Amino acid sequence: MLEKGRLGTRALATLTFMMVVGDMMMIYPSVITSYAKQNAWICALIGVPIGMLLMAMFLKLGKAYPDKNLIAISRSILGFWPGTLVGCFYLYFFVIGASTHTREVGDFMTTQLFQYTPIRVIILLFVIAVSWGVYNGIETMGRSSELLMPVGVVFILVLCFCLVPKIDTSNIKPFMDTDVVSIAQGILVSVIYPVGETIPILMLLPYTSSQEHRNRDLIMAAGLGNLLLASLVTIAILVLGAFLTQHNIYASFILMQKISIGDFFQRIEALMASVWLISTYFKAMVYLYAFTIGIAELFKLKRYVFLILPSSMLVFAFANLVAPGVTFIIITVVPYWVDWDTTVGILLPGILLLIHVIKARVNHIKLRS
C-alpha cells in the first residue's frame, strides 16, 4: 500500500464535509443564482437528496474494489490502457482543481482584504501550507479536519441567524416563473458543484478503516454540507435579492458585512473569510493528495512523498496561469466547469459502475452455466 496511515470513519466524514463546503461557501450563491434567479433556493434544496444519491454511487463503486483507489479501479474495469487513459484524465482534473482552488484564494485575498499584496505571494504561502499538510499524511489531514470543521459549521449558522432581521420575503417572489431549462441547470449545479467535486474521496477510501456505518456517515456528511450551502443560498436571496446575489461573486462575504446587532456585533467578515480559507484549504489539500498518490499508483511507485514537492510546484505554476483574473474565471471558466464536473463526477463514475455491474453479471452467468 502506498499510504501507511489510516483514516477513521469520522475523519473521512469530516473531510467529505469540508470538500462539499470548500470554496463553495463563498461563490456557490452567486453561481446557482445566475442560472435559477430567485428560485435558486428551491434548486439548492432539491439538490440535497440528489447529491446524497451521487455520493452513494461513489461509495458503491469504491465498495466493489475496497483495496483500490480510483486509478486502479479504472484499470481493473476498463483494462490497462483504457483505464490508464481515464486515470490520466482524472489526474489532470485533480491538479487543475487544486490549482483553481489556490487561485480562488489568491484572487479573493488580493481583491477583498490585501489589495496591495502581490497575488503570487498569497498563492505561494497557500501552496506551502497545502503541501505541508499532504506531507504530514492522511491521518494528520483527517484529524485536522475533525478539529476545524465545527468552526465552519458555527460561523455559517451565525451568519444565517444574525441576518434573520434583514430578511425580505418579497425577494423570492414570484415563485417558479423561471423556465424549465434554467431550473434544471440550477439543480445540476446544486448537485455537481458541491458533491460531484468530492470524487477524490475514491482516492482515500482504500486507506480508510472499514468500520460500521461508514457509507451512511459519508452520505450524511455530503447531505449536511449541501444543506448548509442551500441555507446560504436562501439567506443570500432573502437579504440581497436575486440580482445582487448573482452579481456579487463573494455573496457570503457581502452578507457578513451586513450583520449589525446593537451596533456591537458587526464587521465580522474577516472571520467568515477565515472559515472559507479553512474549508478551501482542506479541499485543495485533498486534491493535491489525490494527484500525488495517483501519480504513484499510475507508475507503480512504492512511495509518494518525494512527489509532493514537484506536484506543489506544478500547482503553483498552474495557479498563476489558469486565469489572468477573477473576471476571466467568472465569465469564461465557470460556464464550462459545469460540463467538466458533470463528466468527471457523474458520467465517468456512472460508466465505470455500469461496466462493473455488467461484467459481474456476465461472470455470474458463466459460473452458473
Side-chain angles (χ1 to χ4, degrees), residues 181-195:
V181 174
S182 297
I183 292 292
Q185 289 176 330
I187 294 174
L188 178 63
V189 167
S190 70
V191 175
I192 200 61
Y193 269 166
V195 182

Side-chain angles (χ1 to χ4, degrees), residues 91-143:
L91 291 177
Y92 181 68
F93 174 72
F94 294 154
V95 70
I96 292 297
S99 305
T100 305
H101 303 327
T102 303
R103 181 55 186 250
E104 286 174 347
V105 170
D107 284 331
F108 172 77
M109 298 296 284
T110 53
T111 57
Q112 303 296 322
L113 297 176
F114 304 121
Q115 289 89 350
Y116 300 105
T117 303
I119 189 172
R120 292 187 179 182
V121 175
I122 302 294
I123 290 175
L124 178 61
L125 293 174
F126 189 77
V127 169
I128 291 173
V130 169
S131 58
W132 179 250
V134 175
Y135 176 78
N136 281 279
I138 195 171
E139 288 188 19
T140 302
M141 292 163 55
R143 291 171 184 172

Side-chain angles (χ1 to χ4, degrees), residues 7 25 29 35 51 90 107 147 163 174 213 243 255 294 300 309 357:
L7 274 177
M25 186 188 300
Y35 289 98
Y90 270 112
D107 284 331
L147 181 65
L163 288 173
H213 306 310
F243 181 82
L255 287 173
K300 300 296 182 182
L309 179 59
V357 171

Side-chain angles (χ1 to χ4, degrees), residues 27-307:
I27 67 175
Y28 182 66
S30 172
V31 173
I32 191 171
T33 307
S34 66
Y35 289 98
K37 304 301 186 287
Q38 71 274 9
N39 295 310
W41 66 279
I42 300 176
C43 297
L45 290 174
I46 294 175
V48 174
I50 301 177
M52 295 172 73
L53 291 175
L54 181 59
M55 177 57 69
M57 185 184 75
F58 293 164
L59 296 175
K60 186 174 180 62
L61 180 60
K63 186 179 179 180
Y65 301 88
D67 298 326
K68 297 181 179 180
N69 56 35
L70 183 57
I71 308 301
I73 290 174
S74 300
R75 283 175 165 174
S76 298
I77 294 177
L78 301 176
F80 184 82
W81 289 113
T84 300
L85 184 62
V86 172
C88 291
F89 182 74
Y90 270 112
L91 291 177
Y92 181 68
F93 174 72
F94 294 154
V95 70
I96 292 297
S99 305
T100 305
H101 303 327
T102 303
R103 181 55 186 250
E104 286 174 347
V105 170
D107 284 331
F108 172 77
M109 298 296 284
T110 53
T111 57
Q112 303 296 322
L113 297 176
F114 304 121
Q115 289 89 350
Y116 300 105
T117 303
I119 189 172
R120 292 187 179 182
V121 175
I122 302 294
I123 290 175
L124 178 61
L125 293 174
F126 189 77
V127 169
I128 291 173
V130 169
S131 58
W132 179 250
V134 175
Y135 176 78
N136 281 279
I138 195 171
E139 288 188 19
T140 302
M141 292 163 55
R143 291 171 184 172
S144 300
S145 67
E146 289 183 65
L147 181 65
L148 294 173
M149 188 195 77
V151 178
V153 176
V154 167
F155 272 96
I156 293 177
L157 295 178
V158 167
L159 171 65
C160 294
F161 284 119
C162 290
L163 288 173
V164 168
K166 297 183 179 295
I167 285 177
D168 182 4
T169 55
S170 64
N171 287 330
I172 61 174
K173 297 177 182 178
F175 295 105
M176 301 303 294
D177 68 321
T178 311
D179 60 273
V180 177
V181 174
S182 297
I183 292 292
Q185 289 176 330
I187 294 174
L188 178 63
V189 167
S190 70
V191 175
I192 200 61
Y193 269 166
V195 182
E197 291 188 354
T198 62
I199 188 68
I201 289 296
L202 288 176
M203 301 295 292
L204 306 182
L205 285 180
Y207 317 116
T208 306
S209 302
S210 183
Q211 299 176 356
E212 191 177 3
H213 306 310
R214 184 184 71 176
N215 288 1
R216 182 201 64 184
D217 292 348
L218 294 185
I219 293 172
M220 292 299 295
L224 177 60
N226 211 355
L227 183 61
L228 285 178
L229 292 177
S231 303
L232 277 180
V233 173
T234 305
I235 201 71
I237 294 176
L238 287 172
V239 174
L240 298 177
F243 181 82
L244 289 178
T245 301
Q246 176 184 348
H247 292 89
N248 282 291
I249 186 171
Y250 305 122
S252 300
F253 190 73
I254 303 299
L255 287 173
M256 271 293 186
Q257 293 176 344
K258 292 185 173 294
I259 292 177
S260 179
I261 299 178
D263 292 328
F264 172 73
F265 189 71
Q266 57 185 353
R267 303 299 296 182
I268 59 172
E269 61 269 14
L271 297 177
M272 183 65 183
S274 300
V275 174
W276 177 73
L277 282 174
I278 291 171
S279 59
T280 307
Y281 168 75
F282 279 101
K283 189 169 184 177
M285 186 164 54
V286 172
Y287 268 75
L288 180 59
Y289 177 85
F291 176 72
T292 53
I293 206 164
I295 289 289
E297 177 67 37
L298 190 69
F299 294 101
K300 300 296 182 182
L301 304 177
K302 295 182 178 180
R303 298 175 68 249
Y304 72 94
V305 176
F306 68 93
L307 296 172

